[in-house]
Amino acid sequence: MDTGSFVGGLVAGLAICIAVGLFVRFVFAPRNSAVAAAAAEHAVPLLEVKSDSALLQSQDEPSQATLLRLQHMFEVTGDKLSQISKHMMAEMKKGLASDECAMKMIPTHVVRRPKGDEVGSYLALDLGGSNFRVCEITLDGRGGTRSRQSKHVVTDDLKTGTGAALFDFFADQVKHFLMNDGQNEYSAEEIESRNYKLGFTFSFAVNQVSINKGYLLLWNKGFSADNCVGEDVVRLLSEAFRRKKLNIDVTALVNDTTGTLVSHAYGAPDTYIGVILGTGTNAAYVEKVENITKFKSSGTAKDMIINTEWGAFDDEMVVIPRTKYDHKVDRGTSHPKTYTFEKLISGMYLGEVVRYVLLDLVKTGEIFVAGGSASKTLKIQYAFETAYMSRIERDHSLDLSDVRTVLEDLMHIPSTTLADRRLTRAICEMVGKRSARLSAAAIAGVVTKMNKLDGCTVGIDGSLFELYPHFSNRMRDALHEILGFSADNIVLEQARDGSGQGAALIAALATSITE
Ligand code: ADP
Ligand code: MG
């Protein structure tokens, strides 16, 4: 063979290899978005940070130096997760002994879980943070339920106005809900003449002194309505019902975490923890009464559900690494330096962390240079929603077209390059992953404290856990890093309507399961 035909053969061979490679990639590229998402999560990361900064960089890729710097800030290593988990156990013990701790460890007065044979119709009100729901739950006595509900947005004006206006709004919505059940319409007089029992899911820190009495300790999640802190929220609600002529007994005051635990246990008896990953984050678990040393028990119950209020975990900032962006988010809230764990984790804040990172990169000229600037929208507090992060992380298109939609159409960035969009996606991944890993570290701490490493179910409610791509896989990976094989014994399950059904169940059982 002469040199010419050898080179020719080589070139032809190479061309065939490339063509076959492209064909295989095209044909076998995952089309289904879930498959694509799983593949992207577990196989090839979209952005691989290369340690060799001397590598020639394509214009379509963000700066490796920027990526490395950010990754270093947001990464939580396996060792760090273990430390966080141990610190969680120590803080839980402290909170069980004293009221003076940041993490309140509130005894809920709920001392056992339902059996599944409870019957009757009950109302539940659920104030989570973003939404307010009215539910009617019918327990069928065989572990099943029927429910109907109405959902309402709580406006910023209501959140920050007068307490009376806020509670009157709740009472008005209940009245509307009862006057029309979807099939029949009832007059106000008919509704006013009936008696109802209601469970109130109120997902803020209260000092709960009995099953239907609890004093609001502080607002968080953007609420600051006046004349509420220090008051019994059941009294505030009952007075609003009276003002609206409604005959409703508020028989249980429930935190959404407790509701989630109880309602998930109704169908999955091995549930010992309820977790919220929604607007905020929190957890409730079953503790031995003898370990709750700050609680003077008057009954014989051996166990009681504790509402941890873990949103305030590590408020002393001794174990979890924070970035300058986290401090900015914190300073911008109505309650700086408190509930700082929540601000690293939950739906209300994740988008805000990303927004501050983007603004900083605009300032240093590392992003959106082509468009010349950020946008007015990007400068608005909370304008970058956590739901956008989900959308961005779910985008596996070659040109990241959905990321473009978010940045250019929703955030009004004048124009973006592929490198900008990849960088934005990488930032969302870092912030989203950190949230999942920190939540897992907290869960690992609670499970270990309970001595349930040999098996238990965690019921998890909230849009963040439900809708953020890869969230549960990332939690699971982190649990493995912390607990090794024992992580296999811990089941993370989506809990549905814990706050509605749980409140109704606890209201139904208020006389028999409380002390
Ligand atoms: P609540 O905590 O008020 O009961 P949810 O569980 O629905 O309500 O959580 C609302 C939070 O979930 C909001 O802070 C919002 O940012 C976040 N969220 C809503 N949709 C998504 C989504 N697609 N991906 C991630 N987070 C989301
Ligand atoms: Mg909720």
Side-chain angles (χ1 to χ4, degrees):
M1 192 193 292
D2 67 20
T3 323
S5 57
F6 174 75
V7 172
L10 201 65
V11 170
L14 256 176
I16 289 169
C17 285
I18 291 169
V20 169
L22 281 177
F23 175 77
V24 168
R25 252 192 101 164
F26 178 76
V27 170
F28 294 102
R31 296 296 155 82
N32 172 302
S33 63
V35 176
E41 178 68 3
H42 290 291
V44 191
L46 183 76
L47 271 170
E48 209 170 304
V49 178
K50 299 169 185 111
S51 54
D52 184 357
S53 56
L55 276 179
L56 263 186
Q57 201 165 307
S58 141
Q59 275 197 328
D60 289 341
E61 282 181 26
S63 143
Q64 290 294 313
T66 306
L67 281 174
L68 274 173
R69 190 180 78 240
L70 292 172
Q71 198 165 65
H72 183 68
M73 287 171 120
F74 284 102
E75 189 174 38
V76 191
T77 62
D79 282 350
K80 196 72 201 173
L81 289 176
S82 299
Q83 273 179 36
I84 293 168
S85 164
K86 286 202 183 87
H87 191 61
M88 171 58 82
M89 279 188 271
E91 290 298 293
M92 288 169 75
K93 284 179 191 157
K94 267 204 242 166
L96 289 173
S98 155
D99 276 334
E100 303 311 311
C101 302
M103 220 169 84
K104 292 281 173 242
M105 301 295 286
I106 301 165
T108 62
H109 299 260
V110 178
V111 295
R112 72 174 166 79
R113 295 168 303 145
K115 289 195 199 119
D117 58 359
E118 298 74 14
V119 290
S121 269
Y122 296 85
L123 293 177
L125 293 197
D126 173 22
L127 178 65
S130 303
N131 300 305
F132 165 70
R133 292 185 308 139
V134 188
C135 316
E136 184 174 38
I137 315 272
T138 307
L139 309 170
D140 71 4
R142 295 183 302 278
T145 57
R146 272 184 296 115
S147 68
R148 71 180 183 99
Q149 62 162 298
S150 69
K151 195 168 178 173
H152 315 271
V153 172
V154 184
T155 62
D156 286 342
D157 282 350
L158 282 169
K159 287 182 192 171
T160 58
T162 67
L166 182 67
F167 281 86
D168 276 352
F169 166 76
F170 299 155
D172 278 333
Q173 299 311 327
V174 174
K175 198 162 192 176
H176 287 146
F177 177 81
L178 292 172
M179 285 172 67
N180 187 338
D181 69 5
Q183 283 159 349
N184 304 299
E185 286 198 21
Y186 302 96
S187 68
E189 290 72 29
E190 271 178 280
I191 295 304
E192 286 161 14
S193 68
R194 293 186 198 162
N195 174 261
Y196 300 87
K197 304 266 184 265
L198 179 143
F200 184 21
T201 301
F202 183 76
S203 306
F204 297 88
V206 295
N207 173 21
Q208 185 142 8
V209 294
S210 75
I211 191 66
N212 65 350
K213 193 171 201 165
Y215 298 94
L216 178 62
L217 293 169
L218 77 165
W219 283 120
N220 60 341
K221 298 185 275 191
F223 279 70
S224 60
D226 67 6
N227 296 326
C228 296
V229 173
E231 299 296 324
D232 170 18
V233 292
V234 171
R235 183 179 64 77
L236 295 178
L237 182 63
S238 303
E239 283 176 1
F241 284 149
R242 269 199 290 281
R243 285 196 290 275
K244 302 291 170 186
K245 300 200 177 70
L246 288 166
N247 176 13
I248 299 179
D249 301 326
V250 185
T251 56
L253 174 65
V254 182
N255 193 278
D256 52 1
T257 47
T258 311
T260 298
L261 199 174
V262 169
S263 85
H264 205 69
Y266 197 50
D270 205 25
T271 307
Y272 287 87
I273 310 184
V275 171
I276 299 297
L277 288 164
T279 308
T281 184
N282 192 8
Y285 74 105
V286 180
E287 182 58 274
K288 291 192 171 58
V289 171
E290 65 186 35
N291 290 342
I292 317 171
T293 49
K294 68 180 179 185
F295 179 69
K296 304 280 165 282
S297 169
S298 53
T300 53
K302 287 200 165 52
D303 296 329
M304 182 179 285
I305 296 176
I306 293 286
N307 163 18
T308 62
E309 289 294 321
W310 82 15
F313 171 56
D314 197 37
D315 272 356
E316 299 84 5
M317 302 199 188
V318 296
V319 63
I320 304 173
R322 327 258 166 164
T323 69
K324 58 183 173 180
Y325 311 113
D326 302 314
H327 293 298
K328 281 189 177 170
V329 171
D330 182 42
R331 282 197 294 272
T333 62
S334 56
H335 51 288
K337 298 213 161 86
T338 58
Y339 281 73
T340 57
F341 187 60
E342 178 164 270
K343 292 169 192 167
L344 304 174
I345 287 185
S346 73
M348 174 148 184
Y349 305 105
L350 292 190
E352 186 67 350
V353 178
V354 172
R355 190 180 72 86
Y356 275 119
V357 179
L358 291 176
L359 280 177
D360 195 34
L361 296 180
V362 167
K363 214 158 78 191
T364 54
E366 288 168 279
I367 201 166
F368 310 146
V369 178
S373 68
S375 63
K376 277 198 184 130
T377 312
L378 191 64
K379 290 183 185 149
I380 299 171
Q381 214 188 4
Y382 297 110
F384 195 98
E385 296 177 17
T386 302
Y388 297 169
M389 296 170 66
S390 284
R391 198 164 160 183
I392 286 171
E393 282 221 50
R394 219 176 264 124
D395 184 358
H396 296 284
S397 64
L398 280 180
D399 64 343
L400 296 181
S401 51
D402 229 24
V403 182
R404 186 199 294 269
T405 305
V406 169
L407 292 174
E408 298 182 14
D409 299 349
L410 297 172
M411 296 308 298
H412 308 119
I413 307 290
S415 85
T416 61
T417 61
L418 183 54
D420 289 339
R421 300 195 288 279
R422 285 187 167 164
L423 180 53
T424 306
R425 193 175 184 283
I427 294 164
C428 293
E429 191 179 314
M430 290 174 203
V431 175
K433 202 178 237 177
R434 183 181 66 162
S435 158
R437 290 170 70 77
L438 290 176
S439 324
I443 289 175
V446 178
V447 176
T448 313
K449 160 85 180 68
M450 291 168 80
N451 259 327
K452 287 275 176 205
L453 283 173
D454 53 342
C456 78
T457 296
V458 185
I460 307 179
D461 192 3
S463 296
L464 184 68
F465 182 76
E466 187 174 357
L467 302 174
Y468 200 110
H470 318 308
F471 208 89
S472 62
N473 284 341
R474 289 169 177 172
M475 286 176 76
R476 183 137 291 294
D477 289 347
L479 278 181
H480 269 276
E481 287 173 49
I482 304 165
L483 300 173
F485 290 125
S486 299
D488 292 335
N489 304 332
I490 299 166
V491 181
L492 305 179
E493 262 175 9
Q494 175 80 53
R496 293 195 192 276
D497 193 27
S499 21
Q501 183 174 301
L505 269 165
I506 296 172
L509 301 168
T511 47
S512 65
I513 66 167
T514 63
E515 69 163 17

